[in-house]
Amino acid sequence: MPRQAQRKSSRKCWFPKILKKTLIVLLVLVLLLVGFTIYTVRQSFPQESGTIQLSGLKAEVQIQRDKWGIPHIWAANSHDLFMAQGYIHAQDRFWQMDFWRHIGSGRLAEMFGSSQVDTDKYLRTMGWARVAQQEIQELNAEMKAYLEAYADGVNTYLTEHQGSALSLEYAVLKFLNPGYKPEPWQILHSLTWGKVMAYDLGRNFQSEIERAILLKTLTPTQVEELFPPYPKDLPVILPEFQQGTGEGRDNNVEVLLNSSDVLPALESITQPMMALEQLIGPTGIGIGSNNWVISGQRTATGKPILANDPHLGVQIPSIWYEVGLHCTPKSAECPYNVTGFSFAGMIGVIIGHSDRIAWGVTNVESDVMDLYIEKINPQNPNQYEVNGKWVDMQLVQETIQVAGNQPIVQTVRYTRHGPILSDVSLNLKQFQPSQPLEIPQNYAVALHWTALAPSKVGYAIPQINRAQNWQEFRAAASNYDVPAQNLVYADIDGNIGYQMPGKFPIRAKGDGRYPVPGWTDEYEWLGYIDFEQLPKSFNPPQGYIATANNLVMREYPYLITADWVYGYRAKRIVEMISQQTEAISLKDVQQIQGDDRNLNAQTLVPLLQSITVDTPQLQAAQKLLRDWNLQLAMTSPAAALFEVFWKHLLADTFHDQLPESYFPDGGDRWYAVVANLVKQPNSSWWDNRNTPKVENRDQILQQSFTKAVNELERIQSQDPKNWNWGKLHTITFRNATLGKSGLAPIEALFNRGAFATAGNGETVNANRWRANKSFEVTDIPSLRMIVDLGNLGNSVAIHTPGQSVHAFHKHYNDMIDPWRKIEYHPMLWEQKNVTANSTATLKLIPQLGK
């Protein structure tokens, strides 16, 4: 055989062997990688059974978990109860706790580098951590002991777990920030929770900014049309106190900002707000909740039923952590026997029931934030005018640590009203006086906000948890000052009640709807409404109390807000309770929580049925609406048609006259705006200013309807019967940090979705989408709870996506499907029932020799 042929034969012989060895090596590498990944993922999973010794524990604690991963903690004393709560929170949620405490203290750049410097500057300007430090100095001995016990529980867990043993996120973070190591938990970190939630549920100053900016291109009358008063045909929370109109507006201050030169500062303040919203989810006006309580005179059990579903931004892990806290036995030293929903990072149960009472919360949407335009001394930028005199600002130096970079020093300036937000704006500019008003040549924008003063909300939670009756509940609620909430109450004796707690400013002038001058005392806060003067109700004659962020009563001597949620969800809840002819059961209450009826469609569908359409495709679509029950069900073709039409109607009506930043989002305010406009077929709002002709209402309705049909034919089906709302209206649960990294492989580790959902933001089942963005769901009923005061063991609940922070753990996203389908799990109660339904039992025992 020729030598060349031998070489070829030799290569042919060796090639399969080399290929085989290469494949074996690759297979081994793959198996090692898979094994390493599985090990990395699983090593952070919590120990749920067996025995663990804890230093500092006084007696044995038992933790029983059910099939959903919900723990019930049984402890002999308060110290051990809250220490164990800290320990299990750390087991299941430490990444979330670590992330949120960095938000609370404005220290995100320490974790995620220079991309978060601007957000940190904004948060340091707010100064939540400084306020929390003041609160620590004022803690009483009991509360301090509880918080220290909780911190000890967290830190005991941290001593045994670091890096990827804490959570998979730390393994990923190590590549981005190799030097990061979580510090011990402190009381401070628990207290900043309340500040972050107050911001999440507040931020009404964004409406002040929006109204002021709209005045640049619209008349005051037009702006008021976009912020209509609360409709007279929508319900109030306390109808037994209805009088007057309840509008209570003072529109005389808007003229201050007719000068367009102040607007860049106001616009730029929204930039860091939007950056923070990317981290904690949608916040502020429009984010709502439902709760209601029904007296035994209306229920099948003869005892009250209480329901609650707070609406918060979509996120993974869940904002809530379900837990039972039980003293064995209950005593003066250890008075807790409670179950419900907690925040990982804080002691106690925020929403739930004890052995005596149940309670639920919704956001008041109170106006507790005011923007002040401050005159700045041209010769000294650290002085501002107060009643004709220059006054020194308070200056606070902040050092922002930045992963991988040098620290940044920031000076935060404070006036008597609060921090100067315009200092963290990118395009603040000075402007010249504008006639006829004397506008400051040098100005700054300061924020006055109740949450920037020490609060006592931390006290309220354990006090509510141990309250035995209405009087003790109200005493606890008096400390629930920030954020202000609508609290509904029920007890096993058959009583129901409502209390609005909170710090609400009494203004010398104005209603907080526009930024005001800060250089005089004309618009100062004179104090706060006394708690005993705040709205309340006990066993009202109608036999129920329902709240959905709507108006409390028609006439009230003080201002709570001029920007109530408009009450469409409330109207539907009240209808379903008051029109029920049979005794109301737990099943009926579940149906109320899952209701998808669109009251906006109730207004607009008759108009759509009356317009003339002249093509078979439009006629077939119009026919869909004829027999529609107005429910935004997942598989409904008519629901898809109407919601797509609504998007186009808002765009065709308003986009030509509004700045893009303030295009309609389609929420409750726009329901009210359009409900008013459809009664004015020739209103100037209907006219598209970008066309030569003058359009009217019916022309815009027809145009928007046609666009909706064309869009659905393009993206779903030529056959209207195949249109599907749930395929458009999907929810994706994204990790707030690494789940938004822009790196698909990392996002795939932590995000879950997309999932079809029903409803919209104004149905009782409130899965909000935003017409100025997309059909994707942005905020949701973050939990649903129904408590039977006749038999607490019958109570049910669900939250989403699951109990665990650990990606790939069985409880990471196991609640999504039942939540979407309005299904529930039992809220296990009595110890024998908890034991019978437990899947794991963990014993925490004092460390030997300690």
Side-chain angles (χ1 to χ4, degrees):
M1 181 182 293
R3 189 171 298 175
Q4 187 176 4
Q6 286 180 339
R7 284 199 297 266
K8 287 183 179 178
S9 176
S10 176
R11 283 199 297 268
K12 287 179 182 178
C13 182
W14 278 101
F15 182 74
K17 295 179 181 179
I18 294 171
L19 180 61
K20 183 177 180 181
K21 287 182 178 179
T22 302
L23 290 175
I24 290 172
V25 170
L26 288 174
L27 180 60
V28 169
L29 288 173
V30 168
L31 291 173
L32 286 172
L33 181 61
V34 169
F36 176 74
T37 302
I38 292 172
Y39 170 76
T40 301
V41 167
R42 295 188 62 84
Q43 70 168 330
S44 63
F45 290 2
Q47 179 180 338
E48 298 181 0
S49 58
T51 301
I52 299 175
Q53 295 183 13
L54 295 191
S55 176
L57 205 65
K58 297 179 179 179
E60 181 179 303
V61 175
Q62 184 170 278
I63 301 172
Q64 297 174 303
R65 292 181 186 252
D66 66 14
K67 69 176 184 178
W68 299 100
I70 298 162
H72 282 261
I73 303 172
W74 310 88
N77 58 77
S78 294
H79 171 275
D80 290 356
L81 187 70
F82 292 121
M83 185 177 181
Q85 186 179 20
Y87 190 85
I88 62 158
H89 276 168
Q91 274 192 319
D92 288 335
R93 293 287 186 89
F94 186 75
W95 169 263
Q96 181 185 42
M97 295 165 66
D98 198 14
F99 171 54
W100 276 76
R101 68 172 167 176
H102 279 78
I103 293 176
S105 293
R107 296 170 55 192
L108 291 165
E110 291 181 18
M111 292 183 78
F112 305 109
S114 56
S115 65
Q116 296 303 317
V117 167
D118 287 341
T119 305
D120 277 355
K121 286 182 176 180
Y122 181 62
L123 293 168
R124 297 290 183 97
T125 300
M126 286 287 186
W128 296 334
R130 291 194 296 277
V131 178
Q133 289 286 9
Q134 296 176 49
E135 293 174 359
I136 292 172
Q137 303 305 314
E138 299 172 7
L139 288 175
N140 64 28
E142 178 189 69
M143 188 64 184
K144 189 172 184 180
Y146 287 170
L147 291 170
E148 285 176 341
Y150 181 91
D152 288 344
V154 177
N155 291 329
T156 300
Y157 188 76
L158 292 183
T159 59
E160 302 295 332
H161 302 80
Q162 283 295 321
S164 58
L166 273 173
S167 194
L168 177 61
E169 286 90 339
Y170 290 102
V172 177
L173 186 63
K174 191 171 182 63
F175 292 102
L176 306 175
N177 181 4
Y180 181 75
K181 181 180 179 181
E183 65 182 300
W185 192 263
Q186 302 173 37
I187 291 176
L188 170 72
H189 303 142
S190 292
L191 295 182
T192 54
W193 247 112
K195 309 304 175 190
V196 180
M197 289 310 300
Y199 184 88
D200 196 26
L201 298 173
R203 224 181 74 194
N204 64 275
F205 70 87
Q206 64 184 310
S207 292
E208 289 185 42
I209 293 173
E210 180 177 353
R211 278 187 284 261
I213 289 174
L214 291 178
L215 283 172
K216 182 177 181 178
T217 55
L218 302 177
T219 68
T221 299
Q222 288 176 312
V223 173
E224 291 305 304
E225 286 181 316
L226 299 183
F227 291 85
Y230 191 84
K232 294 181 174 62
D233 62 338
L234 294 179
V236 299
I237 294 172
L238 303 181
E240 65 268 35
F241 300 113
Q242 284 196 58
Q243 304 171 50
T245 63
E247 294 177 19
R249 290 189 172 179
D250 177 358
N251 296 327
N252 296 323
V253 298
E254 63 197 34
V255 71
L256 170 71
L257 293 171
N258 278 352
S259 169
S260 62
D261 296 305
V262 76
L263 299 181
L266 296 176
E267 289 175 321
S268 64
I269 288 173
T270 66
Q271 295 167 1
M273 291 194 310
M274 295 303 104
L276 185 55
E277 186 169 297
Q278 291 297 311
L279 297 175
I280 65 176
T283 62
I285 298 298
I287 301 294
S289 304
N290 305 318
N291 66 19
W292 61 91
V293 59
I294 306 171
S295 164
Q297 69 194 56
R298 288 179 172 268
T299 68
T301 66
K303 291 286 188 178
I305 297 174
L306 183 145
N308 194 190
D309 55 289
H311 308 158
L312 295 168
V314 176
Q315 54 196 283
I316 193 167
S318 170
I319 192 71
W320 300 106
Y321 183 90
E322 195 168 353
V323 65
L325 301 174
H326 311 281
C327 294
T328 53
K330 222 175 133 182
S331 66
E333 189 282 329
C334 194
Y336 301 103
N337 188 16
V338 61
T339 191
F341 295 87
S342 67
F343 289 140
M346 185 59 186
I347 63 169
V349 167
I350 312 297
I351 294 169
H353 74 79
S354 69
D355 52 345
R356 294 283 309 169
I357 73 168
W359 68 98
V361 307
T362 67
N363 195 20
V364 171
E365 306 272 353
S366 53
D367 189 344
V368 294
M369 295 176 165
D370 282 349
L371 292 175
Y372 285 83
I373 309 299
E374 307 282 20
K375 284 186 183 180
I376 304 301
N377 185 348
Q379 307 303 317
N380 184 347
N382 296 325
Q383 288 187 329
Y384 67 107
E385 184 179 318
V386 177
N387 297 321
K389 296 180 180 179
W390 296 121
V391 175
D392 289 336
M393 296 181 186
Q394 178 189 0
L395 305 179
V396 177
Q397 295 291 319
E398 293 282 354
T399 301
I400 299 173
Q401 302 294 332
V402 185
N405 287 283
Q406 294 298 310
I408 292 173
V409 178
Q410 173 192 15
T411 299
V412 180
R413 299 190 298 167
Y414 280 84
T415 72
R416 60 178 177 160
H417 299 118
I420 294 181
L421 284 192
S422 50
D423 279 353
V424 291
S425 304
L426 300 180
N427 60 345
L428 177 62
K429 71 171 187 178
Q430 297 179 351
F431 61 95
Q432 297 300 313
S434 173
Q435 297 299 324
L437 291 173
E438 182 186 349
I439 302 296
Q441 290 189 16
N442 299 278
Y443 72 93
V445 182
L447 172 68
H448 201 178
W449 179 24
T450 54
L452 299 184
S455 75
K456 293 186 175 180
V457 68
Y459 288 91
I461 303 308
Q463 288 173 345
I464 289 175
N465 289 183
R466 65 186 183 231
Q468 298 293 290
N469 51 49
W470 172 243
Q471 291 73 25
E472 292 182 10
F473 177 79
R474 286 195 68 236
S478 67
N479 285 322
Y480 210 128
D481 46 9
V482 178
Q485 299 288 290
N486 298 299
L487 301 180
V488 294
Y489 165 95
D491 62 38
I492 60 175
D493 295 326
N495 300 301
I496 66 172
Y498 165 89
Q499 176 69 58
M500 178 195 288
K503 290 169 70 174
F504 302 95
I506 300 171
R507 296 171 174 86
K509 182 180 179 182
D511 60 8
R513 300 177 72 243
Y514 291 89
V516 295
W519 54 86
T520 75
D521 291 340
E522 195 175 359
Y523 296 95
E524 289 305 290
W525 292 4
L526 304 178
Y528 299 105
I529 304 172
D530 184 83
F531 177 76
E532 290 302 326
Q533 300 299 313
L534 291 174
K536 61 182 180 294
S537 178
F538 189 61
N539 292 329
Q542 69 269 21
Y544 65 87
I545 304 165
T547 93
N549 320 107
N550 52 314
L551 182 66
V552 179
M553 60 179 76
R554 291 288 176 185
E555 188 168 285
Y556 182 66
Y558 301 104
L559 175 74
I560 300 297
T561 183
D563 290 317
W564 302 98
V565 165
Y566 284 85
Y568 293 95
R569 284 179 284 111
K571 182 177 182 179
R572 184 62 181 150
I573 293 165
V574 167
E575 283 177 353
M576 296 183 77
I577 294 173
S578 62
Q579 295 175 7
Q580 178 66 262
T581 57
E582 303 291 330
I584 296 172
S585 67
L586 288 175
K587 201 73 176 173
D588 294 328
V589 177
Q590 292 180 21
Q591 290 176 349
I592 298 174
Q593 282 193 332
D595 185 69
D596 294 313
R597 186 176 178 86
N598 185 341
L599 298 188
N600 188 37
Q602 196 169 288
T603 301
L604 292 175
V605 164
L607 292 171
L608 286 175
Q609 290 174 324
S610 68
I611 63 174
T612 301
V613 292
D614 53 6
T615 68
Q617 63 170 165
L618 293 176
Q619 290 167 355
Q622 195 177 43
K623 187 177 180 182
L624 278 181
L625 301 176
R626 191 173 303 157
D627 300 319
W628 182 35
N629 61 4
L630 308 187
Q631 293 280 335
L632 298 178
M634 273 188 250
T635 58
S636 168
L641 173 60
F642 183 82
E643 293 295 271
V644 176
F645 157 75
W646 177 236
K647 178 191 75 171
H648 286 291
L649 178 66
L650 292 170
D652 291 345
T653 306
F654 298 105
H655 283 195
D656 61 318
Q657 296 188 58
L658 299 182
E660 185 175 352
S661 299
Y662 296 111
F663 281 174
D665 66 3
D668 62 284
R669 173 159 68 93
W670 295 99
Y671 279 27
V673 169
V674 172
N676 290 336
L677 284 183
V678 294
K679 299 171 188 174
Q680 308 168 55
N682 297 308
S683 166
S684 62
W685 285 107
W686 298 115
D687 176 39
N688 183 350
R689 301 190 178 186
N690 298 323
T691 65
K693 65 178 182 177
V694 177
E695 290 88 356
N696 61 24
R697 179 196 68 189
D698 290 351
Q699 289 169 324
I700 295 298
L701 289 173
Q702 186 180 54
Q703 174 181 304
S704 302
F705 186 72
T706 302
K707 287 182 178 179
V709 172
N710 291 339
E711 180 174 347
L712 282 165
E713 287 186 340
R714 185 178 71 255
I715 64 176
Q716 287 202 343
S717 172
Q718 292 290 316
D719 185 350
K721 293 178 183 177
N722 293 331
W723 296 342
N724 182 297
W725 175 226
K727 289 181 179 178
L728 276 179
H729 185 236
T730 62
I731 182 170
T732 298
F733 294 90
R734 291 182 176 85
N735 184 291
T737 52
L738 301 177
K740 300 176 182 178
S741 65
L743 301 172
I746 292 177
E747 291 183 358
L749 290 175
F750 300 108
N751 298 344
R752 299 294 182 269
F755 303 96
T757 56
N760 70 11
E762 309 314 324
T763 53
V764 181
N765 179 28
N767 298 306
R768 184 178 301 276
W769 63 279
R770 300 191 182 248
N772 54 347
K773 294 183 180 176
S774 74
F775 294 109
E776 183 176 342
V777 178
T778 59
D779 38 287
I780 58 174
S782 55
L783 70 84
R784 299 186 186 97
M785 178 186 75
I786 302 172
V787 181
D788 178 3
L789 278 299
N791 182 347
L792 294 169
N794 288 337
S795 304
V796 295
I798 194 74
H799 68 110
T800 195
Q803 281 283 98
S804 179
V805 77
H806 303 294
F808 306 105
H809 191 280
K810 62 182 178 181
H811 297 312
Y812 186 62
N813 63 336
D814 57 334
M815 293 191 189
I816 293 176
D817 268 347
W819 171 85
R820 285 192 314 126
K821 298 171 184 176
I822 322 295
E823 297 172 353
Y824 302 77
H825 64 73
M827 292 183 78
L828 300 177
W829 181 236
E830 292 182 349
Q831 188 166 13
K832 62 181 180 181
N833 196 26
V834 173
T835 300
N837 289 278
S838 292
T839 59
T841 299
L842 176 68
K843 290 183 179 179
L844 305 179
I845 62 174
Q847 190 168 358
L848 297 177
K850 299 289 185 181

PDB file of all heavy atoms in Angstrom, residues 788-799:
ATOM      1  N   ASP A 788     -63.371  33.264  57.642  1.00  0.00           N
ATOM      2  CA  ASP A 788     -64.670  32.892  58.196  1.00  0.00           C
ATOM      3  C   ASP A 788     -64.600  33.036  59.710  1.00  0.00           C
ATOM      4  O   ASP A 788     -63.947  32.228  60.386  1.00  0.00           O
ATOM      5  CB  ASP A 788     -64.998  31.452  57.796  1.00  0.00           C
ATOM      6  CG  ASP A 788     -66.315  30.957  58.374  1.00  0.00           C
ATOM      7  OD1 ASP A 788     -67.019  31.749  59.043  1.00  0.00           O
ATOM      8  OD2 ASP A 788     -66.640  29.769  58.162  1.00  0.00           O
ATOM      9  N   LEU A 789     -65.244  34.062  60.253  1.00  0.00           N
ATOM     10  CA  LEU A 789     -65.213  34.280  61.705  1.00  0.00           C
ATOM     11  C   LEU A 789     -66.109  33.302  62.451  1.00  0.00           C
ATOM     12  O   LEU A 789     -66.063  33.245  63.685  1.00  0.00           O
ATOM     13  CB  LEU A 789     -65.601  35.720  62.028  1.00  0.00           C
ATOM     14  CG  LEU A 789     -64.501  36.802  61.920  1.00  0.00           C
ATOM     15  CD1 LEU A 789     -63.356  36.513  62.881  1.00  0.00           C
ATOM     16  CD2 LEU A 789     -63.992  36.989  60.507  1.00  0.00           C
ATOM     17  N   GLY A 790     -66.916  32.530  61.721  1.00  0.00           N
ATOM     18  CA  GLY A 790     -67.706  31.483  62.356  1.00  0.00           C
ATOM     19  C   GLY A 790     -66.888  30.237  62.616  1.00  0.00           C
ATOM     20  O   GLY A 790     -67.130  29.512  63.581  1.00  0.00           O
ATOM     21  N   ASN A 791     -65.920  29.971  61.762  1.00  0.00           N
ATOM     22  CA  ASN A 791     -65.011  28.834  61.928  1.00  0.00           C
ATOM     23  C   ASN A 791     -63.705  29.212  61.239  1.00  0.00           C
ATOM     24  O   ASN A 791     -63.582  29.099  60.016  1.00  0.00           O
ATOM     25  CB  ASN A 791     -65.611  27.568  61.311  1.00  0.00           C
ATOM     26  CG  ASN A 791     -64.714  26.351  61.508  1.00  0.00           C
ATOM     27  OD1 ASN A 791     -63.547  26.469  61.886  1.00  0.00           O
ATOM     28  ND2 ASN A 791     -65.248  25.169  61.231  1.00  0.00           N
ATOM     29  N   LEU A 792     -62.727  29.656  62.011  1.00  0.00           N
ATOM     30  CA  LEU A 792     -61.478  30.154  61.440  1.00  0.00           C
ATOM     31  C   LEU A 792     -60.783  29.103  60.593  1.00  0.00           C
ATOM     32  O   LEU A 792     -60.054  29.439  59.646  1.00  0.00           O
ATOM     33  CB  LEU A 792     -60.551  30.636  62.561  1.00  0.00           C
ATOM     34  CG  LEU A 792     -61.050  31.871  63.327  1.00  0.00           C
ATOM     35  CD1 LEU A 792     -60.197  32.108  64.574  1.00  0.00           C
ATOM     36  CD2 LEU A 792     -61.048  33.102  62.434  1.00  0.00           C
ATOM     37  N   GLY A 793     -61.006  27.836  60.876  1.00  0.00           N
ATOM     38  CA  GLY A 793     -60.397  26.767  60.097  1.00  0.00           C
ATOM     39  C   GLY A 793     -60.918  26.671  58.683  1.00  0.00           C
ATOM     40  O   GLY A 793     -60.317  26.004  57.838  1.00  0.00           O
ATOM     41  N   ASN A 794     -62.052  27.317  58.392  1.00  0.00           N
ATOM     42  CA  ASN A 794     -62.590  27.332  57.030  1.00  0.00           C
ATOM     43  C   ASN A 794     -61.973  28.427  56.165  1.00  0.00           C
ATOM     44  O   ASN A 794     -62.265  28.515  54.972  1.00  0.00           O
ATOM     45  CB  ASN A 794     -64.112  27.548  57.062  1.00  0.00           C
ATOM     46  CG  ASN A 794     -64.852  26.324  57.562  1.00  0.00           C
ATOM     47  OD1 ASN A 794     -64.341  25.205  57.484  1.00  0.00           O
ATOM     48  ND2 ASN A 794     -66.053  26.535  58.084  1.00  0.00           N
ATOM     49  N   SER A 795     -61.168  29.283  56.750  1.00  0.00           N
ATOM     50  CA  SER A 795     -60.606  30.416  56.026  1.00  0.00           C
ATOM     51  C   SER A 795     -59.661  29.924  54.929  1.00  0.00           C
ATOM     52  O   SER A 795     -59.033  28.873  55.053  1.00  0.00           O
ATOM     53  CB  SER A 795     -59.858  31.339  56.991  1.00  0.00           C
ATOM     54  OG  SER A 795     -60.714  31.756  58.037  1.00  0.00           O
ATOM     55  N   VAL A 796     -59.576  30.722  53.846  1.00  0.00           N
ATOM     56  CA  VAL A 796     -58.749  30.332  52.700  1.00  0.00           C
ATOM     57  C   VAL A 796     -57.929  31.532  52.233  1.00  0.00           C
ATOM     58  O   VAL A 796     -58.247  32.682  52.529  1.00  0.00           O
ATOM     59  CB  VAL A 796     -59.615  29.807  51.533  1.00  0.00           C
ATOM     60  CG1 VAL A 796     -60.314  28.512  51.923  1.00  0.00           C
ATOM     61  CG2 VAL A 796     -60.622  30.861  51.080  1.00  0.00           C
ATOM     62  N   ALA A 797     -56.885  31.230  51.469  1.00  0.00           N
ATOM     63  CA  ALA A 797     -56.014  32.298  50.968  1.00  0.00           C
ATOM     64  C   ALA A 797     -55.200  31.786  49.793  1.00  0.00           C
ATOM     65  O   ALA A 797     -55.148  30.583  49.513  1.00  0.00           O
ATOM     66  CB  ALA A 797     -55.086  32.807  52.075  1.00  0.00           C
ATOM     67  N   ILE A 798     -54.561  32.708  49.109  1.00  0.00           N
ATOM     68  CA  ILE A 798     -53.578  32.402  48.076  1.00  0.00           C
ATOM     69  C   ILE A 798     -52.744  33.665  47.867  1.00  0.00           C
ATOM     70  O   ILE A 798     -53.249  34.787  48.034  1.00  0.00           O
ATOM     71  CB  ILE A 798     -54.243  31.962  46.752  1.00  0.00           C
ATOM     72  CG1 ILE A 798     -53.232  31.308  45.792  1.00  0.00           C
ATOM     73  CG2 ILE A 798     -54.924  33.140  46.073  1.00  0.00           C
ATOM     74  CD1 ILE A 798     -52.805  29.925  46.181  1.00  0.00           C
ATOM     75  N   HIS A 799     -51.473  33.495  47.551  1.00  0.00           N
ATOM     76  CA  HIS A 799     -50.699  34.620  47.035  1.00  0.00           C
ATOM     77  C   HIS A 799     -49.881  34.100  45.869  1.00  0.00           C
ATOM     78  O   HIS A 799     -50.027  32.943  45.467  1.00  0.00           O
ATOM     79  CB  HIS A 799     -49.833  35.281  48.121  1.00  0.00           C
ATOM     80  CG  HIS A 799     -48.702  34.455  48.649  1.00  0.00           C
ATOM     81  ND1 HIS A 799     -47.377  34.732  48.387  1.00  0.00           N
ATOM     82  CD2 HIS A 799     -48.696  33.351  49.430  1.00  0.00           C
ATOM     83  CE1 HIS A 799     -46.609  33.842  49.005  1.00  0.00           C
ATOM     84  NE2 HIS A 799     -47.371  32.995  49.645  1.00  0.00           N
TER      85      HIS A 799
END
